[in-house]
């Protein structure tokens, strides 16, 4: 069986380190990809440190679901991709492709969906799927996306998760032109939310805990910034937002943000802290407000998002790191110290 270099965690408390992992020989339907860049999502950190009680981690864990790379082999029945193509892989690598959710292009909700890492590996190559902190990956062509040729690759990688996770709920809300949109948390997801909200013609406000991010929020396309610890400023915006996207990775008071919604306004959660968030019934019923959730996006919508980014020249703002800096990058992620996504240059794995 072929193998690949990777970086993996061997327990919730050990740092990521070099590990050789098995990869399957491509089947008829598979595409083999040499990974060029992989974004660092906060979900990688949650999973590596076993922070999600609903999705316990199997070790070794090779995270990474913001993958961009070059096709090195295709199976005999592969139609969409050919040798040398630049392609992307996001959070999904398999689904049954026969259930109502798959037929509705919502593979992320398929009961048999396999995520890019930490899902049972139906091919039996390993106990679980291994993600993109690796030199290569083999994926069913349905889950391999085409990357527009005009975009810079380190900044494309984060589109595969941070991009689609913010694009999808905004599209689902409807026409945001002229609407007042808030984005809570200016991290990897949040900064993509700002770029999309701006591109969709909304009046975009960043709600941040970090006063130092004010200028760069405006440079990313925000029209206004509220520092959430400023009670006066929060008060001024009561009842004014049509839509708020909550990207916060840690415990926080969601009621403070529900107060900012207009009547019939919607707050959609995409951030995934493990601890339940208490919600004030009064905060919702006075104003007929909606609290919703959203999980990445299906394959068709992910391709639509990538094509939209190609047309509008949108990529993620990245700090490129070698894989050897991944543990330091996790520590910085916890301090909200990244502008605005780490993107790992996989060339650095060659020296391992
Ligand atoms: P990130 O880059 O670390 O950004 C999170 C941001 O949240 C921080 O930059 C910070 O922004 C804010 N924040 C952090 N701690 C906070 C606190 N205690 N109170 C208020 N704000 C706080 O993380 P990410 O990669 O964008 O991921 C964000 C969350 O989304 C994670 O939980 C991740 O697992 C989840 N996620 C969900 C999906 C999905 O499909 N639903 C997909 C991908 C990721 P400020 O400095 O501006 O306050
Ligand atoms: Zn992610």
């Amino acid at each position: 069986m072929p193998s690949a270099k990777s970086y993996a965690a061997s327990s919730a408390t050990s740092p990521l380190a070099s590990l050789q992992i098995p990869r399957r020989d491509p089947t008829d339907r598979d595409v083999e990809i040499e990974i060029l860049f992989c974004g660092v999502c906060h979900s990688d950190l949650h999973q590596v440190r076993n922070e999600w009680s609903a999705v316990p981690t199997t070790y070794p864990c090779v995270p990474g679901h913001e993958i961009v790379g070059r096709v090195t082999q295709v199976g005999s029945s592969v139609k969409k991709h050919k040798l040398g193509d630049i392609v992307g892989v996001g959070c999904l690598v398999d689904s049954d492709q026969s259930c109502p959710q798959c037929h509705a292009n919502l593979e992320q909700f398929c009961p048999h969906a396999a995520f890019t890492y930490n899902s049972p590996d139906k091919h039996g190559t390993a106990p679980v799927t291994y993600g993109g902190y690796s030199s290569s990956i083999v994926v069913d062509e349905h889950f391999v996306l085409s990357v527009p040729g005009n975009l810079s690759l380190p900044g494309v990688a984060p589109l595969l998760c941070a991009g689609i996770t913010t694009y999808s709920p905004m599209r689902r809300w409807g026409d945001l032109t002229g609407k007042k949109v808030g984005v809570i948390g200016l991290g990897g997801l949040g900064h993509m939310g700002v770029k999309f909200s701006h591109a969709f013609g909304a009046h975009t406000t960043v709600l941040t805990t970090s006063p130092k991010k004010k200028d760069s929020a405006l440079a990313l396309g925000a029209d206004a910034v509220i520092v959430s610890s400023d009670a006066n400023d929060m008060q001024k915006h009561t009842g004014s937002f049509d839509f708020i996207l909550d990207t916060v990775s840690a415990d926080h008071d969601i009621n403070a943000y529900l107060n900012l919604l207009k009547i019939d306004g919607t707050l959609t959660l995409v951030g995934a802290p493990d601890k339940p968030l208490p919600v004030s019934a009064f905060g919702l019923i006075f104003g007929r407000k909606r609290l919703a959730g959203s999980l990445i996006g299906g394959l068709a919508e992910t391709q639509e998002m990538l094509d939209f980014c190609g047309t509008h020249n949108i990529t993620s703002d990245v700090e490129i790191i070698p894989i050897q800096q991944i543990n330091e990058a996790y520590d910085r992620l916890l301090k909200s110290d990244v502008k605005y996504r780490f993107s790992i240059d996989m060339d650095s794995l060659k020296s391992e």
Side-chain angles (χ1 to χ4, degrees):
M1 197 182 289
S3 69
K5 289 183 173 184
S6 80
Y7 253 55
S10 55
S11 79
T13 51
S14 51
L16 284 92
S18 182
L19 181 74
Q20 200 75 18
I21 53 164
R23 291 293 191 195
R24 67 179 182 267
D25 280 313
T27 68
D28 289 358
R29 305 163 52 96
D30 283 335
V31 175
E32 183 191 69
I33 301 160
E34 177 199 356
I35 301 176
L36 299 174
F37 293 94
C38 184
V40 178
C41 182
H42 206 115
S43 300
D44 301 350
L45 190 158
H46 287 309
Q47 194 75 69
V48 157
R49 299 195 176 168
N50 203 10
E51 290 176 353
W52 283 331
S53 44
V55 200
T57 307
T58 300
Y59 295 96
C61 174
V62 179
H65 57 207
E66 297 186 333
I67 297 167
V68 66
R70 186 183 293 113
V71 174
T72 46
Q73 240 191 104
V74 290
S76 56
S77 61
V78 169
K79 296 199 176 58
K80 274 198 319 186
H81 307 288
K82 59 178 193 317
L83 224 62
D85 282 358
I86 296 294
V87 294
V89 176
C91 302
L92 292 165
V93 289
D94 206 4
S95 70
D96 61 26
Q97 298 183 49
S98 59
C99 71
Q101 291 85 308
C102 285
H103 285 147
N105 295 319
L106 295 170
E107 295 90 341
Q108 72 271 38
F109 303 124
C110 169
H112 303 110
F115 292 90
T116 306
Y117 55 83
N118 201 55
S119 273
D121 182 355
K122 79 166 191 195
H123 297 272
T125 315
V128 289
T129 51
Y130 292 144
Y133 295 9
S134 173
S135 52
S136 68
I137 192 166
V138 179
V139 182
D140 181 311
E141 75 160 327
H142 182 73
F143 299 89
V144 179
L145 289 308
S146 301
V147 171
N150 58 318
L151 301 177
S152 154
L153 298 187
V156 166
L159 301 178
L160 277 306
C161 174
I164 183 60
T165 301
T166 51
Y167 179 93
S168 181
M170 287 192 187
R171 280 299 200 210
R172 183 158 183 77
W173 191 91
D175 183 3
L176 287 173
T177 313
K179 300 293 179 192
K180 187 165 170 181
V181 169
V183 176
I184 315 175
L186 195 63
L189 265 57
H191 94 290
M192 288 312 308
V194 170
K195 289 188 183 208
F196 287 130
S197 174
H198 178 70
F200 298 155
H203 181 280
T204 308
T205 300
V206 168
L207 297 130
T208 180
T209 59
S210 309
K212 63 176 190 291
K213 292 183 182 172
K214 213 164 177 172
D215 289 344
S216 53
L218 299 172
L220 288 166
D223 300 287
V225 180
I226 300 174
V227 177
S228 48
S229 55
D230 181 339
N232 272 342
D233 210 12
M234 289 287 277
Q235 179 67 31
K236 265 192 266 166
H237 291 267
T238 300
S240 68
F241 283 87
D242 296 285
F243 176 72
I244 297 178
L245 189 68
D246 183 338
T247 76
V248 176
S249 52
D251 190 25
H252 60 292
D253 176 15
I254 196 175
N255 300 298
Y257 301 103
L258 288 169
N259 279 340
L260 303 181
L261 289 173
K262 272 182 182 165
I263 293 169
D264 285 330
T266 300
L267 185 150
T268 298
L269 281 174
V270 286
D274 188 50
K275 198 169 159 219
L277 301 167
V279 174
S280 152
F282 280 77
L284 278 181
I285 62 184
F286 279 85
R288 206 166 55 184
K289 294 169 186 176
R290 299 184 182 91
L291 175 58
S294 191
L295 178 69
I296 48 173
L299 273 297
E301 194 177 36
T302 305
Q303 189 62 59
E304 176 193 308
M305 178 275 310
L306 285 169
D307 295 343
F308 180 91
C309 288
T311 305
H312 296 269
N313 212 13
I314 292 174
T315 51
S316 170
D317 286 23
V318 291
E319 184 179 331
I320 301 172
I321 56 163
I323 189 76
Q324 291 79 6
Q325 279 175 22
I326 190 64
N327 295 301
E328 188 190 331
Y330 278 17
D331 290 343
R332 286 182 51 198
L333 202 55
L334 282 175
K335 293 186 216 143
S336 304
D337 175 26
V338 51
K339 283 186 170 173
Y340 277 93
R341 196 59 139 188
F342 292 112
S343 186
I344 308 165
D345 182 350
M346 276 313 156
D347 211 36
S348 58
L349 250 189
K350 291 184 178 148
S351 64
E352 289 290 329

